[in-house]
Amino acid sequence: MNYQNDLAFAREQDRLDPLKNFREQFLIPQHNGADAVYLCGNSLGLQPVTARTYLNDQLNNWQNLAVEGWFQGEDPWLDYHQSLSGSIARIVGAQENEVAVMNSLTVNLHLLMVSFYKPNSKRFKIIIEGGAFPSDQYAVESQVKHHGFDPQSAVIEIFPREGELTLRTEDIVNTIEQHKNELAVVLFAGINYYTGQFFDLKAITDAAHQAGAYAGFDLAHAAGNVPLQLHQWGADFACWCSYKYMNSGPGGISGIFVHERHFTDTTMNRFAGWWGYRRDMRFLMAPGFDAEQGANGWQVSTSPIPLLALFKASMAIFDSAGNMSIIRDKSLRLTAYLEFLINEINLRQGEELFRIITPADPQARGSQLSVVCKRNAKSTFHFLAQNGVIGDWREPDVIRLSPVPLYNTFEDVYKTAALMEASIKAI
Ligand SMILES: Cc1ncc(COP(=O)(O)O)c(C=O)c1O
Ligand SMILES: Nc1c(O)cccc1C(=O)C[C@H](N)C(=O)O
């Protein structure tokens, strides 16, 4: 597509956008009496207009039905989580019985590692991407220590080559091959939080399996952002949060994926709780844990209904948008437009003032562009914020900007680039 650096072009793209009506389903933060340009869905997605109603419905059920709410009402709480499985399964490319909506992200990562990280003196290593989100690093280190191993030798981080910013799939695959005799788990992000690189999850899964290891993914920055096919790719396990691209609110509910091939593995460890007990017998309160079939058997505690209600408001929007390929199609164009406009600024300025460290290959990224500001980085970030552009800052000099297809416009992207260029003179 031929992009143009003018507002009329951006507005025309918005006019033609098949998803244009979705923006009004979100509450856009205000700046000086007008909509701010919110490009921070990589951290916290915007509030669906309907979120309050979904939450209120459950407050009303609590008020009117009290404890009977578990069994009565339109959507009894006992199975409320099940009503979300179809939507989230479509988003991550799974069968409904392979997903469970539960807990928060790092907690779920630990629960999955309990099942999939079973080190012995021969196989004890975990491969992760270098520069993984700190919570994942801490989780992995603590898992390794919990089993009596030393993170120094057990955690293998893969970094980009000298002079490069992102990882090559061949280097990931070769590292897996190199450690194959000692490898227990490969745990990668779907998309790295800092660079925005979208990894080749199928290639990583295949390489892990060739090495006799499990492949697991943290999809915090990928779920609801890029199309995923966890079942088809054969991933062993995955988890995600829903407060970024899935707009479920701060600390919103997380979810897990466990491939169906593991459902019959009776050797698998699991930290059990009554909510993972088989549904038909749970209230018999019998001794001896008997897991529910499928990913729901990994649940531990009572469903947090208010969080599920907020997630449901968001899933209804995803369901009505159709499938992830419609969302992805707009996302590819929005992000490419932002990239085009930033490159144009550099061309006009005669130097690379804004360096995009996210891969240029659209298939190797989601909606986020991570931009290194070569000059006055922090002041540039503040200038954008003062002028109503909300991105986020990552030390030492990176601004992350994520145009989200359900609520951002080409005009948002145009305004952002115009302000980035204006910042050069203003600061
Ligand atoms: C890759 C990744 N892992 C973990 C987290 C944190 O998860 P939690 O919701 O457990 O704080 C985030 C974001 O905060 C993240 O981006
Ligand atoms: N989860 C967050 C929070 O509780 C406070 C502030 C930021 C966050 C984030 O989600 C950060 C995000 N994962 C990141 O990519 O930096």
Side-chain angles (χ1 to χ4, degrees), residues 11-26 326 330 333 405-410:
R11 287 187 172 156
E12 179 62 5
Q13 296 310 303
D14 288 331
R15 197 183 62 78
L16 299 170
D17 172 15
L19 291 176
K20 66 181 169 210
N21 294 332
F22 281 83
R23 179 177 168 86
E24 64 201 33
Q25 298 191 42
F26 292 90
I326 295 169
K330 178 175 172 191
R333 287 182 300 114
L406 284 176
Y407 50 75
N408 285 123
T409 60
F410 286 82

Side-chain angles (χ1 to χ4, degrees), residues 80-343:
Y80 196 92
H81 61 284
Q82 294 276 41
S83 69
L84 293 155
S85 306
S87 311
I88 188 64
R90 279 190 288 283
I91 290 174
V92 299
Q95 296 176 176
E96 270 190 54
N97 63 345
E98 290 174 318
V99 295
V101 180
M102 61 192 221
N103 302 325
S104 32
L105 172 53
T106 312
V107 169
N108 281 337
L109 183 54
H110 277 297
L111 292 176
L112 290 166
M113 291 296 275
V114 163
S115 296
F116 287 93
Y117 182 55
K118 295 175 286 185
N120 57 43
S121 56
K122 270 198 78 189
R123 278 191 185 271
F124 58 91
K125 290 186 177 173
I126 303 175
I127 289 185
I128 62 171
E129 92 254 29
F133 190 77
S135 201
D136 296 23
Q137 295 182 35
Y138 309 148
V140 163
E141 281 169 23
S142 60
Q143 283 284 335
V144 163
K145 283 189 192 158
H146 172 69
H147 288 282
F149 292 88
D150 177 6
Q152 287 287 352
S153 52
V155 181
I156 312 296
E157 292 178 281
I158 314 180
F159 287 96
R161 291 184 189 187
E162 182 88 30
E164 296 185 13
L165 298 162
T166 49
L167 284 172
R168 297 190 193 195
T169 304
E170 62 194 276
D171 290 353
I172 302 173
V173 168
N174 289 339
T175 310
I176 293 172
E177 160 78 14
Q178 199 187 318
H179 292 275
K180 68 177 178 202
N181 295 329
E182 293 145 350
L183 195 57
V185 170
V186 179
L187 177 72
F188 251 68
I191 291 181
N192 178 266
Y193 83 103
Y194 192 85
T195 63
Q197 180 176 13
F198 179 19
F199 298 110
D200 184 339
L201 305 192
K202 163 114 181 41
I204 294 172
T205 302
D206 289 346
H209 290 171
Q210 284 267 313
Y214 288 128
F217 300 105
D218 178 337
L219 303 174
H221 291 260
N225 179 12
V226 288
L228 297 163
Q229 287 300 336
L230 292 178
H231 176 82
Q232 211 180 299
W233 295 336
D236 294 288
F237 67 94
C239 46
W240 51 83
C241 62
S242 62
Y243 49 73
K244 298 178 189 295
Y245 296 96
M246 294 191 285
N247 314 309
S248 69
I253 196 81
S254 166
I256 64 160
F257 163 86
V258 177
H259 198 283
E260 66 167 349
R261 81 172 85 87
H262 298 297
F263 295 165
T264 48
D265 181 353
T266 47
T267 66
M268 201 155 253
N269 292 331
R270 140 156 55 181
F271 279 176
W274 79 310
W275 221 250
Y277 200 88
R278 40 188 288 202
R279 160 78 174 79
D280 56 340
M281 308 281 269
R282 191 186 301 151
F283 282 83
L284 296 181
M285 317 271 183
F289 182 70
D290 190 359
E292 172 73 345
Q293 267 294 302
N296 278 324
W298 268 261
Q299 292 177 100
V300 179
S301 290
T302 305
S303 296
I305 298 300
L307 295 188
L308 293 178
L310 291 171
F311 185 48
K312 196 163 184 160
S314 167
M315 288 297 96
I317 298 176
F318 273 81
D319 289 347
S320 68
N323 55 44
M324 277 306 295
S325 70
I326 295 169
I327 292 175
R328 173 66 163 167
D329 186 55
K330 178 175 172 191
S331 175
L332 285 169
R333 287 182 300 114
L334 267 183
T335 298
Y337 188 43
L338 180 59
E339 177 186 46
F340 165 82
L341 293 175
I342 292 174
N343 288 337

